[in-house]
Amino acid sequence: MATLNLRRFSKPEMLRKIDRSHLITFSEPYTEYISGRGIELPSAAAENGLDYTVMSNVLLNPNTSTPPEMSEALYYINEMSTPEGFELIQEAIAYTEIDVSISEDAAYGDLDLQVLVQDRNIIERLHAEQFLFRPRSFEYFKCARETIPGFEEPSEETIAALVADLDEWFAKKRRGRASKVFIYVKEDFVWFLVRHGEPFTRGPLLRMVNPPACSIGRKNMT
């Protein structure tokens, strides 16, 4: 479990490097919460009216009313707001219909934020991929055939059924029903990465789960 620490994303000077229209568009689903924290969001088309200092204070000091979806989104944006994350995201959206606009002095978080608003799964998938190289647990299965059969990527329906079964198992282990499965098909192996929650604990601070990951690999072995 990790404390929600938006060290990269929440500084006023960092927020000012993010196009205000992008920041407002991201914040709009949480207008009621943000308003309750003392910020009246202007429209994305407005030229002024956003107090970056107050906004930074809201992001740096979440409370019990902070929407979980917002906390998760900010966590992923913060984690991917690095030079490496910037390159990975650019590569991931290169041949998609994701439309982004980045100025020369924009913060890395500006790209993360725009992509997350349009397709959150891209950011979550890229973040999860980092755990392929440092999994907490790993299992592999050797093929019993002499000739390695071709791999057919499971359908969305099959993955949904797998997630449902995993949720049942994790729920019995007090880890909630929020598991996710990511598939990474490589040239000579396939990774199935499973993310899940940890048991709830009581604490004095607002915390969010940094989901651990276990990986199941299918590797071509003879």
Side-chain angles (χ1 to χ4, degrees):
M1 180 171 291
T3 300
L4 182 59
N5 179 10
L6 306 178
R7 59 193 181 282
R8 303 188 187 99
F9 184 68
S10 298
K11 297 178 181 179
E13 59 270 25
M14 185 64 69
L15 289 182
R16 289 190 178 93
K17 291 184 179 180
I18 296 177
D19 187 289
R20 64 188 312 282
S21 65
H22 302 156
L23 186 58
I24 292 171
T25 298
F26 164 77
S27 303
E28 283 176 344
Y30 317 109
T31 298
E32 183 176 352
Y33 161 73
I34 293 174
S35 177
R37 296 294 303 274
I39 298 178
E40 296 302 325
L41 286 177
S43 69
E47 296 183 358
N48 50 46
L50 182 63
D51 190 323
Y52 284 92
T53 300
V54 177
M55 175 65 83
S56 176
N57 181 63
V58 170
L59 298 181
L60 281 169
N61 298 283
N63 59 28
T64 55
S65 64
T66 302
E69 298 83 2
M70 184 180 186
S71 293
E72 277 197 15
L74 291 172
Y75 169 78
Y76 286 119
I77 292 170
N78 180 75
E79 288 291 296
M80 296 300 292
S81 294
T82 63
E84 297 76 17
F86 188 80
E87 294 299 325
L88 288 172
I89 294 171
Q90 285 189 310
E91 292 176 7
I93 66 174
Y95 301 102
T96 70
E97 296 182 356
I98 299 293
D99 184 25
V100 297
S101 175
I102 297 293
S103 62
E104 292 183 0
D105 62 342
Y108 296 126
D110 199 335
L111 177 64
D112 305 349
L113 187 148
Q114 291 181 71
V115 175
L116 183 139
V117 167
Q118 297 180 61
D119 191 339
R120 177 168 175 160
N121 183 64
I122 291 177
I123 300 298
E124 291 192 20
R125 182 179 179 84
L126 290 175
H127 181 264
E129 190 168 3
Q130 300 176 69
F131 288 88
L132 292 179
F133 305 102
R134 47 188 176 92
R136 293 193 178 184
S137 61
F138 172 79
E139 295 181 23
Y140 75 90
F141 301 88
K142 182 178 179 180
C143 182
R145 301 182 186 179
E146 292 186 4
T147 302
I148 303 298
F151 175 75
E152 182 177 348
E153 191 167 347
S155 65
E156 292 184 4
E157 291 76 13
T158 300
I159 294 299
L162 173 59
V163 169
D165 287 343
L166 288 171
D167 279 348
E168 288 296 322
W169 191 88
F170 285 124
K172 293 177 182 178
K173 300 294 183 178
R174 296 177 52 247
R175 285 167 167 77
R177 300 174 182 272
S179 58
K180 294 184 180 181
V181 175
F182 299 91
I183 302 176
Y184 301 90
V185 181
K186 304 298 182 180
E187 184 176 349
D188 59 349
F189 60 89
V190 178
W191 286 86
F192 287 77
L193 187 143
V194 179
R195 306 199 75 175
H196 58 85
E198 292 183 344
F200 287 104
T201 59
R202 292 182 181 275
L205 299 176
L206 178 66
R207 296 174 181 269
M208 71 170 290
V209 171
N210 179 7
C214 61
S215 303
I216 304 174
R218 172 189 183 275
K219 192 170 184 178
N220 290 351
M221 302 181 68
T222 57

